[in-house]
Amino acid sequence: MFKSARSILDDKLALIGLSTIIILLVIAICAPSVSPYDPMKINLQERLSPPSLEHPMGTDDLGRDYLSRIIYGTRISMTAAALITMISLIIGLIVGTASGYFGGIVDETLMRIVDIMLAFPSLIITIAIAGILGPTFENLIIAMTVTGWVGYSRLIRSSVLLVKEQDFVVSSKAIGCSDLRVVFDHIVPNAIAPIVVLATLDMGNVILGLCGMSFLGLGAQPPTPEWGSMLEAGKPFMESMPTLMIFPGLMIMITVMAFNFLGDGLRDALDPRIKAKVEI
Amino acid sequence: MADRTGYIARQAIRYSVSLFIIVTLLFIIPRMMPGDPFISVLGEEVYYRSPELVAELKAQYGLDRPLPEQYISYLQNLVQGNFGYSFHYSQPVWDVIAYKMGWTFVLLIPSVILGAILGIVLGSVAGWRHGRGMDTAVTSLFLFIYSMPHYWLAMIFVLLFAFYLGLFPLSGITSGGLAGAEKLKDVLWHMALPTFVLTLFGASYNYFIMRGSVLQVLGEGFVLTARAKGLSERDVLFRHVLKNSLLPLVTVIALDFGFMVSGALLVEIVFSWGGMGTLVYDAVLARDYPLLHGSFLVIAVCVLAANFIADALYAVLDPRIRGGKAA
């Protein structure tokens, strides 16, 4: 564990990613005290003002302070992405271990379902579910979880298959440990490293997906300061006030990149077998 | 040879089963979802005021019959190529989809091909010369592109190239009112920006896989042997490294298809490009079930076909696969 912490510190990109994520988390948690104004307060006298000392990112078409909205957007995106990743991981863990551990008909059925899910571009399924359930942020989170668990279940299944036949698992079965105990005490801890890597890399993709769907109008609805819906709201003012569309996009990019950097670094540190490293 | 055919046949059966299950799910899921599509077709007022009309319409679409009976006629219709009638467009679903699909392919096919070429070429050069200036520059650039929302880059391009510089049109497929060569030129001009955005995303995806693959192969023993035999660097690169690095990319490009379909969807919306992306989006908003159903089925068939081709190609290219290891 110590060794992996050291290699993370040696990896400049991963370190940049980690510090960015910490900063974003602090911003997200302290949003009310960090943001200079109320993100929802409409001030029609100051609508569409360019960046200034008073409003570092300017104001939007309703005169709301854009910096404050961006800051609150951090909170919304991070919470939603963490929630989706967590629920997907738990479902994937259950399906993957059941599939790998029990094998046979259970495995065959679950993996066919996974195959079918993989046949569709996940964005299309998400649009269908979010569209049919109704365009709210909660429904979007449900829709993204429905498509999100598939990758985890495959990964966890293959990790389980890898350790299942090893001596320590066979011996714990021989001394009469229950299936649940074998799974949670012996199999899951050995599969945790690749899962952490996937979850970190996935956080970036989930944020991209969330903002994309809100941009389509199928996620967070207008007064909510969410980056994707802010981009959508800024689109008509692209010509007169391009900053309205540049800042939310920039925040999405920075956040996604930070998770990608950290995920790559973690993969190198935790799993020396994979050398698909992006190094500069 | 027999092995290879057997393997491909097994895969074909597997994919047919998946397709059948998808067809069945597409039958079941809309019937479980809340909300009656007839509310949005007729409007709430008519829907609640004249239940006889609703019943009549349901009878006309066969929605009043028991489910197993509906399922059988559903399968019969599909086999006959009858995808139903779109409420929203007042046209047979198949006609709408065939038209829109054409426009999506106009955008997708050049982007997938150009993206693959760009990714493979740049990825192999960067892997081969890793750590040098060019590798650092291109890798950083693609890291940025990879983390950007597609539609945001599309918007920035529209702002820069269409609005400020006025080099390309803001949106749409054609300016209208043109024919023949003029029209072709006009369409090419309109598709330049969306194709460029999608190509960049396809390239960034392929770039990292190709670069990683080359780096991995470079570490293999046979590369050392090839060098020890005194082969020129060129021969080592083309005959040993690239030949082995390209293999994983065959599957990736096929799987890319799904990734690019999703990407195309959002980019299509930014550019108001009337393809499948805008079609699915409109169908969801209008709750046009026959149209949604047809679109999903067509997309699923395309993605499954791409995966099947990848599997088959893989079997032809990699002799190790043929044995019995069905992925």
Side-chain angles (χ1 to χ4, degrees):
Chain A
M1 210 52 212
F2 179 67
K3 202 176 155 223
S4 37
R6 275 219 20 211
S7 47
I8 283 282
L9 290 181
D10 288 341
D11 190 336
K12 264 181 260 158
L13 282 185
L15 204 57
I16 295 174
L18 183 64
S19 4
T20 313
I21 292 168
I22 292 174
I23 296 171
L24 288 169
L25 278 178
V26 171
I27 292 176
I29 293 166
C30 311
S33 35
V34 186
S35 61
Y37 299 90
D38 177 355
M40 307 291 244
K41 190 162 175 283
I42 294 172
N43 181 356
L44 290 175
Q45 255 111 43
E46 286 191 339
R47 61 193 297 267
L48 291 174
S49 59
S52 61
L53 275 179
E54 216 174 318
H55 298 285
M57 290 188 182
T59 56
D60 67 4
D61 56 311
L62 293 174
R64 293 172 293 202
D65 180 54
Y66 220 49
L67 176 64
S68 310
R69 290 181 69 73
I70 291 276
I71 288 172
Y72 271 87
T74 317
R75 180 179 248 190
I76 292 172
S77 296
M78 293 290 243
T79 339
L83 200 66
I84 293 169
T85 310
M86 213 105 86
I87 302 173
S88 304
L89 208 159
I90 293 170
I91 300 175
L93 195 70
I94 295 170
V95 173
T97 34
S99 189
Y101 188 74
F102 296 111
I105 185 84
V106 179
D107 185 30
E108 196 58 32
T109 317
L110 290 174
M111 285 304 116
R112 281 298 84 81
I113 296 173
V114 167
D115 276 349
I116 291 162
M117 298 284 293
L118 287 174
F120 286 101
S122 60
L123 192 76
I124 307 264
I125 310 183
T126 316
I127 290 181
I129 299 171
I132 291 167
L133 292 180
T136 67
F137 204 49
E138 292 75 27
N139 287 342
L140 176 58
I141 292 176
I142 295 173
M144 290 197 64
T145 316
V146 169
T147 55
W149 60 273
V150 184
Y152 294 98
S153 69
R154 276 236 159 147
L155 180 77
I156 291 161
R157 174 178 175 268
S158 62
S159 306
V160 170
L161 287 179
L162 220 62
V163 291
K164 193 173 116 182
E165 299 301 328
Q166 285 185 17
D167 289 344
F168 66 93
V169 175
V170 178
S171 21
S172 55
K173 271 196 219 160
I175 58 169
C177 290
S178 68
D179 283 345
L180 267 183
R181 170 126 187 242
V182 175
V183 167
F184 283 102
D185 280 4
H186 300 287
I187 291 184
V188 172
N190 278 289
I192 216 80
I195 298 171
V196 169
V197 174
L198 183 66
T200 314
L201 289 170
D202 212 35
M203 278 289 286
N205 290 332
V206 167
I207 289 175
L208 272 182
L210 270 173
C211 294
M213 296 294 288
S214 298
F215 177 73
L216 286 180
L218 288 173
Q221 294 303 310
T224 322
E226 199 270 347
W227 294 334
S229 59
M230 284 163 75
L231 258 174
E232 159 69 6
K235 211 174 118 194
F237 307 99
M238 203 159 97
E239 294 154 18
S240 50
M241 193 58 65
T243 46
L244 290 187
M245 143 218 145
I246 290 172
F247 286 125
L250 213 56
M251 286 306 288
I252 300 174
M253 191 183 82
I254 292 171
T255 314
V256 173
M257 215 171 192
F259 280 109
N260 285 348
F261 283 171
L262 182 66
D264 275 335
L266 279 175
R267 178 167 56 198
D268 293 336
L270 295 174
D271 195 349
R273 279 165 305 176
I274 306 167
K275 280 274 177 260
K277 186 183 177 182
V278 176
E279 50 181 62
I280 294 191
Chain B
M1 201 55 208
D3 266 7
R4 190 186 294 178
T5 326
Y7 172 76
I8 294 176
R10 271 201 307 280
Q11 291 298 315
I13 293 169
R14 235 188 87 210
Y15 281 108
S16 313
V17 171
S18 294
L19 182 63
F20 181 71
I21 295 173
I22 288 170
V23 166
T24 308
L25 282 180
L26 284 176
F27 171 81
I28 299 169
I29 293 170
R31 284 168 177 76
M32 285 173 7
M33 287 291 179
D36 190 329
F38 285 101
I39 296 180
S40 55
V41 177
L42 299 169
E44 276 188 37
E45 211 176 315
V46 180
Y47 180 84
Y48 291 111
R49 218 190 294 152
S50 50
E52 317 83 43
L53 181 66
V54 176
E56 195 184 309
L57 271 172
K58 283 196 172 168
Q60 196 187 325
Y61 284 99
L63 291 173
D64 57 341
R65 287 181 293 159
L67 280 178
E69 210 178 300
Q70 282 187 40
Y71 181 60
I72 288 169
S73 68
Y74 161 80
L75 287 182
Q76 277 170 348
N77 278 330
L78 281 187
V79 172
Q80 289 162 3
N82 179 6
F83 281 55
Y85 198 77
S86 157
F87 305 145
H88 189 56
Y89 284 82
S90 308
Q91 261 181 9
V93 165
W94 178 246
D95 293 357
V96 181
I97 292 178
Y99 177 73
K100 299 280 181 177
M101 199 71 189
W103 285 116
T104 294
F105 277 135
V106 164
L107 215 57
L108 259 184
I109 292 173
S111 312
V112 169
I113 295 174
L114 289 175
I117 295 173
L118 200 66
I120 289 172
V121 171
L122 289 175
S124 41
V125 175
W128 182 245
R129 302 231 167 280
H130 67 104
R132 309 270 186 91
M134 184 256 166
D135 177 29
T136 314
V138 178
T139 305
S140 325
L141 178 72
F142 277 126
L143 274 176
F144 272 100
I145 294 175
Y146 193 72
S147 308
M148 263 179 213
H150 295 34
Y151 51 93
W152 186 57
L153 187 69
M155 284 163 86
I156 288 186
F157 276 10
V158 168
L159 189 68
L160 280 180
F161 295 109
F163 187 68
Y164 286 140
L165 299 175
L167 294 174
F168 295 100
L170 287 167
S171 64
I173 298 179
T174 61
S175 319
L178 296 166
E182 283 293 305
K183 189 178 178 188
L184 183 69
K185 236 175 83 184
D186 191 52
V187 170
L188 283 176
W189 185 51
H190 277 82
M191 67 182 273
L193 275 185
T195 311
F196 187 49
V197 173
L198 285 174
T199 302
L200 278 181
F201 280 99
S204 69
Y205 195 68
N206 292 324
Y207 173 81
F208 289 113
I209 289 164
M210 189 64 197
R211 187 177 174 275
S213 179
V214 168
L215 280 179
Q216 201 177 355
V217 173
L218 275 180
E220 300 270 350
F222 63 80
V223 175
L224 190 67
T225 314
R227 283 194 171 133
K229 281 194 304 189
L231 288 187
S232 71
E233 285 294 283
R234 241 188 82 144
D235 278 349
V236 176
L237 177 63
F238 285 102
R239 291 177 53 186
H240 293 275
V241 176
L242 287 191
K243 218 171 147 187
N244 285 288
S245 317
L246 278 171
L247 209 52
L249 228 64
V250 175
T251 15
V252 169
I253 292 172
L255 293 175
D256 230 22
F257 195 80
F259 171 80
M260 293 290 267
V261 168
S262 322
L265 184 132
L266 287 158
V267 172
E268 270 181 16
I269 290 167
V270 172
F271 287 99
S272 316
W273 185 272
M276 287 303 282
T278 37
L279 182 73
V280 172
Y281 177 62
D282 287 344
V284 166
L285 292 188
R287 298 209 163 188
D288 190 338
Y289 285 120
L291 189 56
L292 260 184
H293 171 266
S295 314
F296 286 147
L297 198 60
V298 169
I299 292 169
V301 169
C302 288
V303 176
L304 281 177
N307 290 2
F308 175 63
I309 292 170
D311 270 346
L313 266 181
Y314 219 82
V316 174
L317 294 176
D318 190 344
R320 283 168 296 184
I321 291 292
R322 275 168 234 156
K325 202 196 128 216

